[in-house]
Amino acid sequence: MAEQLPASISRTIQTKLVLPPNTNHMGTIFGGTVLSYIDEIAAITAMKHSKQAVVTASIDTVNFLSSAKVGDILNLEGVVISTGRTSMEVYVRVDCQNIESGINTVTTTAILTMVAVNKDGKPTPVCGVAPETEEEKKLFQSAQRRKERRLKINEFSEEKWT
């Protein structure tokens, strides 16, 4: 993993409109719909970094901070914040823009782990990442703690269910 790519190589932005079929009885977007959007942008972000197909290994953190209503615009942004040998951590932020007021609100943040795979579906090495913004640097510096937490969770899962 000698080569490092700037985080901006992977930065991906998507815009979605909140439509009635994607909302609940209160007119707010389903959390599962937001998770689907997050998984999609994380995959695209990781593919841009690795230049490979990717699979989702885990959704480590999802914070639903506020809701979005029918007619609101969702702006999703993803960026690779750390890498392992074949894995990439992707940070996704979802902002909601209310068309009438113009107010922007953070609705959701998430960190996912994506793994690059070759044509046979086997994990394949990825380049490192060089964080550029202050937020990316902070997330990069805390990557080892998140990795240790994931390993503990995986260890518990294996003990409990096997």
Side-chain angles (χ1 to χ4, degrees):
M1 189 172 64
E3 185 183 0
Q4 287 196 334
L5 300 174
S8 57
I9 292 285
S10 68
R11 188 172 311 286
T12 305
I13 297 171
Q14 289 183 332
T15 302
K16 306 277 189 179
L17 178 62
V18 179
L19 297 170
N22 296 323
T23 61
N24 59 30
H25 63 286
M26 296 184 303
T28 59
I29 194 164
F30 284 117
T33 300
V34 175
L35 284 174
S36 172
Y37 296 163
I38 287 170
D39 190 42
E40 178 183 54
I41 195 169
I44 293 167
T45 300
M47 287 188 284
K48 286 171 65 174
H49 180 86
S50 67
K51 297 179 179 57
Q52 299 282 334
V54 300
V55 295
T56 306
S58 67
I59 299 176
D60 302 330
T61 307
V62 179
N63 298 299
F64 292 103
L65 305 170
S66 64
S67 59
K69 296 182 173 133
V70 171
D72 287 344
I73 296 171
L74 295 181
N75 296 300
L76 296 92
E77 183 173 357
V79 66
V80 171
I81 55 170
S82 72
T83 60
R85 192 178 73 76
T86 62
S87 64
M88 296 154 281
E89 268 192 326
V90 178
Y91 175 73
V92 177
R93 176 183 162 132
V94 183
D95 292 333
C96 173
Q97 180 182 3
N98 180 284
I99 282 298
E100 293 171 7
S101 70
I103 295 173
N104 285 308
T105 309
V106 178
T107 64
T108 314
T109 60
I111 296 177
L112 300 84
T113 302
M114 311 301 284
V115 174
V117 294
N118 63 20
K119 292 176 183 166
D120 298 322
K122 302 292 183 199
T124 186
V126 298
C127 293
V129 64
E132 298 171 290
T133 68
E134 287 306 311
E135 185 177 30
E136 291 164 2
K137 289 174 184 176
K138 286 178 185 175
L139 289 164
F140 181 83
Q141 291 168 352
S142 58
Q144 187 60 38
R145 286 194 309 266
R146 287 189 302 276
K147 180 179 179 180
E148 290 167 3
R149 181 174 163 258
R150 277 191 301 274
L151 292 173
K152 284 181 185 176
I153 290 169
N154 289 345
E155 185 179 298
F156 172 77
S157 296
E158 289 171 9
E159 288 175 8
K160 181 134 177 100
W161 304 108
T162 57

